[in-house]
Amino acid sequence: MARLRAPERERTLLPSEEPLSLLRKDGSPVEDSPLEMPDDDVLVRLHRHMVIGRRFDTQATALTKQGRLAVYPSSRGQEACQVGAVLALREQDWLFPTYRDSVALVTRGVDPAGALTLLRGDWHLGYDPHEHRVGPQCTPLATNTPHAVGFAHAARLKGEDTAALVMLGDGATSEGDTHEALNFAGVWRTPVVFLVQNNGYAISVPLSKQTAAPSLAHKGIGYGVPSVLVDGNDAAAVYAVVREALRADGPTLVEAITYRIEAHTNADDATRYRDADEVAAWLDRDPVDRLEAHLVSRGLLDAAGKRALAEEAEAFAARVREQLNADVETDPAELFAHVYAEPTTHLREQAAQLARELA
Amino acid sequence: MTTGTTTGTTVVSMAAALNRALADALEADERVLVFGEDVGALGGVFRVTDGLAARFGERRVFDTPLAESGIVGTAIGMAMNGLRPVVEMQFDAFAYPAFEQITSHLAKLRNRTRGRVEVPVVIRVPYGGGIGGVEHHCDSSEAYYTHTPGLRVVTPGTPDDAYRLLRDAIDSPDPVVFLEPKRRYWTKGPLHGGPAAAFDRAVVRRHGRDVTLIAYGPMVATALETAEAAREEGWDVEVVDLRSLSPFDDETVCASVRRTGRAVVVHEASGFGGYGAEVVARVTERCFHHLHAPVLRVTGFDIPYPPPKLEKHHLPGVDRVLDAIDRLQWDDRVVVRGA
Ligand SMILES: Cc1ncc(C[n+]2csc(CCOP(=O)(O)OP(=O)(O)O)c2C)c(N)n1
Ligand SMILES: [Mg+2]
């Protein structure tokens, strides 16, 4: 992580005073950034996945209104984190996401219907974690953090070069598991990146009520875990930071400063705890617009390219609609099938009882 | 099936049998890891992991930071990545910080991934009282775990079962909470070794015609003692050792109760909302027409576990179990049958 921190910071493990970035709000490059600007083709891919991710996100929110999804926690405004971090993963690395990270999942290649299966109200995950190396979406806050540490530690014991990326929110940094996991990762020098998407709120509770720390990144110090503070609306910066951290010989805590544009979920009323002005200020720092402006100014994206991408995103949304508008066949008998490797006698009896009731 | 198995009968303590099971499992399968608090150089506060770190090395047997949720949480991650962690919780009540990881993840991951993710983690928990332990060191926490679908909950009553059940637990594709009756750690018994007969089956420890005592873990010895004492009072007592608390072996238990027509469930844990209530309900539902008396429970009182000086009053002993047997409506036999 030498590039990200001056020698003094390396020694003290302190994050930078200001979030690291590569692109300014208007898309112009930051001079003297300690971060390495991703290659042009990476910038183009980051943009493409953010555009598709955002369209996916608005589609999912719309599907809640039609009753096709039971609930949806939008990540609108957080696309630079979701896409930047996931594209930084190597093929062999694992992602440990939360409920907030559906866009990260589809960016990793998980089928949209799979990414939304639990949110649809089904009982199972909807995708095979091993297929895309994506752990289960995790709702009990911060409980995925020790899973990521254990997973990466096991990889190391087996002599495999696999790192883990675990996502969590600002609120989740107050949970005990975050601290236990950081501590284990520090002691074991486990290759895990803890990506805190600091979107300012834990449902309604602002960060000021969550912590007295100067920043969430500061929390790494006590565990001997180097920390990085990054502009979470700058996809190029998030990519650069996470990419380097995943290749480091040990853990990194990354705090990405971002904002949740929508309410906590479709069931939440954000007007009860935050002002429209605040939201407007963040809309002005939109992560997709920022990278788009950069690509256009560099001649990496033109009007035709934008149109083609918009069409691709529309087609993606249409597929999501189609998948979610189809009624799924659910088999109540399967509720008993995976509780144990082999259903117990007891469960077989209960399955038979339910079958009789349904006959 | 299991290799690296200890064979040839010897007489050992339960702690030594468990140690041997861990050693044989580590030997047999390189995916097996043992970790927890003080399990390395010290060999665990009860010495169950004695010598394992020296023999198998720090990569496979190691001390962790002091954080139970972290221990179980990282074990889950390791199991997701193909290893077979066996973790130690130092004492029963100190497993509670890991409760969320156990109930929300360990127990559910197979189900919520439709069987695509297995988490074959074994959580060893020394449990129960009778060792003069101070507060938080003597809980019988089995009901918290048996109430959670997806977990297997196992507890041995003899050194031989300790060996075989632990080998089976480590081989099991399901997560197992392995409850070790700490007051029986130093009790010796024969160790036959070899693969277990049936991991989730109860066993009749002693045959008798008049009444079935249903016990597990630390109470198996108490039940057997009671059976001896009862002989002098003219009762021929059968003792069933459950071994697997979840899943529950209805077949073995009910077959016994149907033979004897009377049953008493014995456990150390508090009775209210306890494991014994489930056993009574199951037996009553399945054996009602064979019963000559209500199925009774002899349990700890519904109080926080008492201090060393007073624990003898709390723990079910031979006299209390004999009293329960005495209350099984022996005199009403004809009346009840005729009614
Ligand atoms: C252990 C636990 N406690 C409470 C909740 C209920 N809950 C769900 S999301 C949430 C807020 C989390 O905020 P944050 O970590 O900042 O993530 P964000 O939702 O902002 O992405 C709460 C309190 C939960 N899921 N898990
Ligand atoms: Mg938040």
Side-chain angles (χ1 to χ4, degrees):
Chain A
M1 302 297 291
R3 210 178 301 115
L4 301 185
R5 287 182 302 273
E8 175 62 11
R9 295 204 181 282
E10 181 66 30
R11 196 177 60 74
T12 61
L13 302 169
L14 279 168
S16 54
E17 297 271 328
E18 292 299 318
L20 302 178
S21 61
L22 278 162
L23 298 176
R24 274 191 261 275
K25 211 173 81 170
D26 63 3
S28 60
V30 172
E31 283 124 45
D32 310 327
S33 174
L35 303 178
E36 188 182 352
M37 183 66 92
D39 295 342
D40 290 353
D41 65 309
V42 173
L43 293 175
V44 169
R45 280 173 57 224
L46 286 167
H47 176 254
R48 174 171 165 267
H49 283 284
M50 284 205 289
V51 170
I52 293 171
R54 174 161 296 179
R55 186 63 193 89
F56 164 83
D57 190 85
T58 47
Q59 183 59 66
T61 297
L63 285 164
T64 61
K65 299 194 173 106
Q66 295 152 25
R68 284 284 165 185
L69 285 180
V71 65
Y72 182 69
S74 167
S75 57
R76 188 182 178 88
Q78 301 181 210
E79 292 88 350
C81 295
Q82 306 254 316
V83 172
V86 166
L87 291 193
L89 290 166
R90 298 166 301 175
E91 167 102 11
Q92 73 269 29
D93 294 334
W94 273 66
L95 170 67
F96 288 83
T98 72
Y99 55 89
R100 176 77 58 212
D101 306 314
S102 303
V103 170
L105 261 69
V106 296
T107 303
R108 185 71 169 157
V110 174
D111 189 53
L116 296 173
T117 298
L118 283 171
L119 298 166
R120 196 178 207 180
D122 215 330
W123 57 275
H124 64 83
L125 205 57
Y127 59 90
D128 181 349
H130 293 282
E131 189 183 345
H132 298 284
R133 289 157 307 285
V134 175
Q137 290 147 304
C138 184
T139 299
L141 297 171
T143 55
N144 54 341
T145 56
H147 303 168
V149 175
F151 195 97
H153 185 67
R156 175 170 285 179
L157 290 175
K158 295 195 291 181
E160 294 163 3
D161 176 26
T162 301
L165 167 67
V166 59
M167 295 182 133
L168 62 156
D170 44 292
T173 63
S174 300
E175 292 281 0
D177 272 4
T178 303
H179 299 266
E180 296 193 15
L182 279 167
N183 189 43
F184 274 63
V187 173
W188 291 346
R189 308 302 308 153
T190 316
V192 174
V193 180
F194 296 79
L195 177 64
V196 178
Q197 295 177 79
N198 176 0
N199 61 11
Y201 291 88
I203 309 185
S204 65
V205 181
L207 187 67
S208 58
K209 294 194 177 162
Q210 211 65 248
T211 182
S215 77
L216 296 174
H218 276 78
K219 295 186 183 231
I221 300 168
Y223 306 108
V225 174
S227 306
V228 185
L229 187 61
V230 65
D231 183 337
N233 281 20
D234 179 347
V238 172
Y239 175 88
V241 164
V242 174
R243 185 172 189 277
E244 193 174 332
L246 284 166
R247 286 159 175 78
D249 185 32
T252 310
L253 171 61
V254 179
E255 177 186 0
I257 310 288
T258 184
Y259 196 77
R260 191 193 77 209
I261 297 297
E262 297 287 338
H264 173 68
T265 68
N266 54 299
D268 174 41
D269 175 6
T271 63
R272 293 176 71 94
Y273 54 83
R274 65 184 195 185
D275 295 335
D277 289 354
E278 184 183 294
V279 182
W282 279 95
L283 282 170
D284 189 42
R285 288 184 237 174
D286 187 78
V288 187
D289 291 352
R290 185 187 306 199
L291 185 54
E292 192 159 302
H294 180 75
L295 294 181
V296 169
S297 75
R298 300 261 321 276
L300 295 167
L301 183 70
D302 58 13
K306 273 200 235 180
R307 259 197 317 277
L309 183 54
E311 276 168 30
E312 190 184 350
E314 263 328 303
F316 193 84
R319 197 170 113 224
V320 175
R321 275 197 304 277
E322 196 184 315
Q323 285 183 328
L324 280 119
N325 282 328
D327 289 316
V328 268
E329 289 286 321
T330 52
D331 177 7
E334 211 193 336
L335 291 173
F336 303 90
H338 307 294
V339 183
Y340 296 93
E342 292 288 328
T344 58
T345 313
H346 181 69
L347 286 179
R348 279 200 300 271
E349 282 167 14
Q350 295 189 350
Q353 178 198 334
L354 182 60
R356 280 195 304 279
E357 287 170 13
L358 296 173
Chain B
M1 199 53 229
T2 304
T3 52
T5 300
T6 292
T7 47
T9 301
T10 45
V11 174
V12 300
S13 68
M14 185 182 282
L18 291 165
N19 180 273
R20 209 174 287 182
L22 290 170
D24 287 353
L26 282 158
E27 185 70 48
D29 186 346
E30 63 177 18
R31 296 171 303 171
V32 175
L33 302 176
V34 172
F35 57 94
E37 296 160 8
D38 301 295
V39 302
L42 184 67
V45 292
F46 293 105
R47 305 295 182 265
V48 171
T49 58
D50 188 31
L52 298 179
R55 179 166 162 202
F56 294 98
E58 264 255 49
R59 288 170 72 85
R60 299 191 62 204
V61 180
F62 52 89
D63 290 326
T64 64
L66 225 167
E68 293 76 12
S69 185
I71 291 169
V72 175
T74 53
I76 289 170
M78 292 183 207
M80 286 176 73
N81 202 356
L83 299 183
R84 292 184 164 257
V86 183
V87 302
E88 176 173 307
M89 299 283 108
Q90 203 156 65
F91 284 87
D92 33 62
F94 304 139
Y96 301 150
F99 195 69
E100 183 182 27
Q101 286 292 346
I102 296 172
T103 52
S104 290
H105 291 296
L106 189 63
K108 290 181 182 160
L109 266 169
R110 171 189 292 285
N111 190 60
R112 66 197 292 276
T113 60
R114 246 176 165 168
R116 285 156 176 154
V117 170
E118 283 195 341
V119 276
V121 175
V122 177
I123 303 180
R124 295 182 34 244
V125 188
Y127 82 117
I131 61 158
V134 292
E135 59 171 352
H136 311 300
H137 291 74
C138 299
D139 281 15
S140 290
S141 34
E142 60 269 30
Y144 300 137
Y145 304 114
T146 56
H147 196 60
T148 305
L151 298 177
R152 286 178 178 273
V153 184
V154 174
T155 180
T158 67
D160 195 47
D161 263 8
Y163 177 86
R164 302 201 299 174
L165 293 177
L166 185 53
R167 291 300 306 272
D168 275 356
I170 296 169
D171 281 345
S172 171
D174 297 314
V176 182
V177 175
F178 193 88
L179 299 171
E180 300 173 0
K182 62 172 91 80
R183 64 195 284 204
R184 307 294 179 203
Y185 269 147
W186 303 282
T187 307
K188 291 194 171 179
L191 173 64
H192 309 296
F199 178 40
D200 47 14
R201 295 307 294 262
V203 62
V204 177
R205 288 267 169 235
R206 183 187 198 279
H207 291 277
R209 279 189 311 254
D210 296 334
V211 52
T212 302
L213 291 182
I214 303 168
Y216 54 87
M219 286 291 114
V220 173
T222 306
L224 288 168
E225 247 183 90
T226 307
E228 278 306 308
R231 210 162 48 172
E232 286 160 30
E233 316 224 357
W235 290 308
D236 187 14
V237 175
E238 178 145 313
V239 175
V240 175
D241 174 358
L242 292 179
R243 303 202 284 202
S244 171
L245 305 187
S246 179
F248 183 82
D249 180 3
D250 289 300
E251 201 180 317
T252 304
V253 173
C254 291
S256 170
V257 176
R258 287 189 191 113
R259 279 195 301 274
T260 61
R262 286 180 172 78
V264 178
V265 186
V266 189
H267 64 56
E268 264 188 50
S270 301
F272 189 84
Y275 185 75
E278 177 66 23
V279 179
V280 172
R282 301 184 79 80
V283 168
T284 307
E285 285 162 8
R286 287 163 178 75
C287 310
F288 187 72
H289 293 293
H290 298 266
L291 289 173
H292 307 313
V295 182
L296 297 183
R297 282 173 293 166
V298 178
T299 70
F301 296 120
D302 298 323
I303 54 174
Y305 195 86
K309 279 187 180 150
L310 297 171
E311 69 176 337
K312 63 178 183 291
H313 303 300
H314 178 71
L315 290 169
V318 171
D319 287 346
R320 208 173 279 162
V321 183
L322 283 175
D323 273 356
I325 294 174
D326 194 38
R327 281 187 284 125
L328 289 171
Q329 304 190 0
W330 301 95
D331 300 336
D332 302 351
R333 186 190 301 224
V334 178
V335 180
V336 172
R337 280 220 169 136

